[in-house]
Amino acid sequence: MQKIIVIDFGSQYNQTIVKQLRSMNVYAELIHFKNAYTYIKQYQLNIKGIILSGGPKSTYEDNAYEIESDIFDLGIPILGICYGMQYLAQIYGCTISSVSHKEFGNTKINLIKDSPLTYGTPDTQNVWMSHSDAIIKVSQQIELISMTDFHPAIIKVKDLKIYGVQFHLEVSHTKYGQKLLQNFCFNICLINKDFNMDNYIAEVSEQIKKTVLDNQVICALSGGVDSAVTAVLLNKILPGQITCIFIDTGLLRDKEADSLIKEFKTKYDLNVHCYDCSEYMLNNLANISDPEEKRKIIGASFINIFEEKLNLLDLKQSENFLAQGTLYSDVIESGTSTSHKIKSHHNVG
């Protein structure tokens, strides 16, 4: 399958980029920057484009995130966003520095040159900025496509299908961001619209069946949307093989736990074991006022309770699997090797 890969430099909008591409019927995958070159070499024939994400680092720092320079010589179209733009600009001779006029939020840009990336968009448009570094010296290898009143906003490497944008084109605040992404995918990368979620769900379902075989899947239920959706979908894929552990923490709404258990069992036919651990959880949280400390206690308590109750189950199979529902946004917010922590989540282990 043809695909666009998004190289993860730590932006909290990374998954939004992937989501936008998939909404355009373009298959996209998020790849850690340390694994990028190995992955690209392995799947090079299927990769039609590369997007370099934004991130919290500065390109001129000693520990700045970087990828193998050979990636730029493969002839695959590249689009850099924010940090990604500054990184590729630095590769091609530009100077990046912290600037006194930092740009955040709604910002006007002006096109000064036509390009395949900006085709069909107006000469003046509003974008969503978030940067304190900028290109302060443009090299001879770079063409300026667009400027704000202060800094380069869109650039292109001369004679190559390599572009950079200083703003977040993947968010709705950038009015023509979707059009720019479409231009990159279809006018520059020439990728086919051969991805759709129906096929993807079928493929993933088959992968799960081949992985689990006849073994049991233990699913952790907290009462939230993530774990509930995971349990219901898995039960459709592997009927009779899903065992759910629901832990009543005492933190849900009044009588919500009873309502959820009833619905899980009657409406969705889930095999649910429910344990009232509200006293244990609330005792652990007593006299704790810091929100982040509370979140960490809840996460640790969930794990302790889950392991204890798991030992009470009579699991006949020697090999069993753990299923946990987690949104990628929760992973990002909890902090990764590339992005700073916003807040911890109990469903990120």
Side-chain angles (χ1 to χ4, degrees):
M1 180 188 296
Q2 294 183 345
K3 65 180 74 174
I4 301 285
I5 66 163
V6 179
I7 296 181
D8 177 10
F9 282 135
S11 170
Q12 288 157 358
Y13 290 120
N14 280 339
Q15 196 63 22
T16 303
I17 303 171
V18 174
K19 182 179 179 180
Q20 287 280 23
L21 292 170
R22 291 184 179 184
S23 72
M24 294 157 39
N25 298 117
V26 172
Y27 183 64
E29 291 184 7
L30 186 64
I31 307 297
H32 193 283
F33 72 93
K34 290 184 178 179
N35 306 326
Y37 185 70
T38 300
Y39 184 90
I40 291 169
K41 291 297 292 183
Q42 182 177 359
Y43 297 103
Q44 186 172 343
L45 293 178
N46 295 329
I47 296 172
K48 305 298 288 184
I50 298 169
I51 293 179
L52 309 179
S53 85
K57 295 283 188 180
S58 292
T59 60
Y60 47 81
E61 294 178 2
D62 291 338
N63 60 346
Y65 299 148
E66 56 184 26
I67 54 178
E68 287 86 347
S69 59
D70 291 346
I71 290 175
F72 295 92
D73 299 325
L74 297 175
I76 301 173
I78 297 174
L79 173 65
I81 301 175
C82 297
Y83 177 93
M85 166 183 160
Q86 295 171 8
Y87 177 69
L88 69 86
Q90 186 170 277
I91 292 288
Y92 287 96
C94 296
T95 301
I96 313 298
S97 178
S98 178
V99 290
S100 58
H101 189 91
K102 309 174 192 310
E103 295 174 319
F104 294 95
N106 195 25
T107 306
K108 183 179 70 175
I109 66 170
N110 299 297
L111 301 185
I112 58 178
K113 189 172 185 178
D114 293 335
S115 77
L117 183 67
T118 57
Y119 176 79
T121 66
D123 292 341
T124 299
Q125 49 191 280
N126 289 331
V127 301
W128 194 255
M129 288 285 188
S130 180
H131 70 98
S132 56
D133 294 339
I135 299 173
I136 61 169
K137 183 179 179 180
V138 180
S139 73
Q140 293 184 351
Q141 300 179 75
I142 296 294
E143 297 177 7
L144 282 179
I145 304 298
S146 174
M147 292 280 296
T148 69
D149 290 338
F150 300 93
H151 307 297
I154 304 176
I155 63 171
K156 180 186 183 298
V157 179
K158 292 179 181 178
D159 302 322
L160 296 175
K161 294 181 178 180
I162 299 179
Y163 296 82
V165 297
Q166 184 58 76
F167 49 88
H168 287 286
L169 79 175
E170 71 275 17
V171 301
S172 59
H173 303 75
T174 296
K175 185 173 181 179
Y176 295 95
Q178 184 87 351
K179 176 62 175 175
L180 295 174
L181 273 177
Q182 290 172 350
N183 286 342
F184 177 70
C185 291
F186 306 126
N187 297 348
I188 298 169
C189 299
L190 304 178
I191 194 169
N192 297 327
K193 293 183 179 182
D194 58 0
F195 170 79
N196 67 70
M197 281 305 298
D198 290 340
N199 291 343
Y200 183 70
I201 291 171
E203 290 171 7
V204 171
S205 297
E206 285 304 311
Q207 290 176 10
I208 292 173
K209 290 178 182 178
K210 290 178 181 179
T211 301
V212 175
L213 299 176
D214 294 330
N215 296 297
Q216 290 289 304
V217 178
I218 312 303
C219 187
L221 275 179
S222 66
V225 174
D226 306 352
S227 60
V229 170
T230 298
V232 171
L233 291 178
L234 281 175
N235 199 46
K236 291 183 177 180
I237 299 170
L238 300 167
Q241 293 177 243
I242 311 300
T243 299
C244 300
I245 295 180
F246 179 86
I247 297 169
D248 183 359
T249 62
L251 301 175
L252 298 175
R253 300 173 184 87
D254 184 35
K255 299 180 182 178
E256 185 176 11
D258 293 337
S259 175
L260 285 170
I261 291 300
K262 181 179 179 180
E263 187 155 340
F264 286 149
K265 289 183 176 181
T266 59
K267 186 174 181 179
Y268 297 107
D269 195 29
L270 292 177
N271 176 23
V272 183
H273 297 261
C274 181
Y275 301 98
D276 184 353
C277 301
S278 54
E279 183 176 355
Y280 171 80
M281 181 69 78
L282 295 175
N283 284 339
N284 287 348
L285 292 171
N287 302 318
I288 304 298
S289 59
D290 180 70
E292 180 62 16
E293 189 177 356
K294 284 183 179 181
R295 287 188 283 264
K296 289 183 177 180
I297 290 173
I298 291 170
S301 299
F302 257 119
I303 293 172
N304 292 338
I305 298 169
F306 189 83
E307 289 179 343
E308 175 189 330
K309 302 307 179 185
L310 187 61
N311 292 327
L312 300 176
L313 298 179
D314 182 20
L315 300 174
K316 298 178 181 179
Q317 284 80 0
S318 59
E319 293 185 22
N320 299 290
F321 293 83
L322 171 66
Q324 178 175 291
T326 306
L327 291 178
Y328 197 82
S329 58
D330 290 355
V331 176
I332 289 292
E333 288 186 355
S334 296
T336 68
S337 59
T338 56
S339 64
H340 296 312
K341 179 177 68 178
I342 297 174
K343 64 177 181 178
S344 299
H345 288 264
H346 71 269
N347 56 350
V348 177

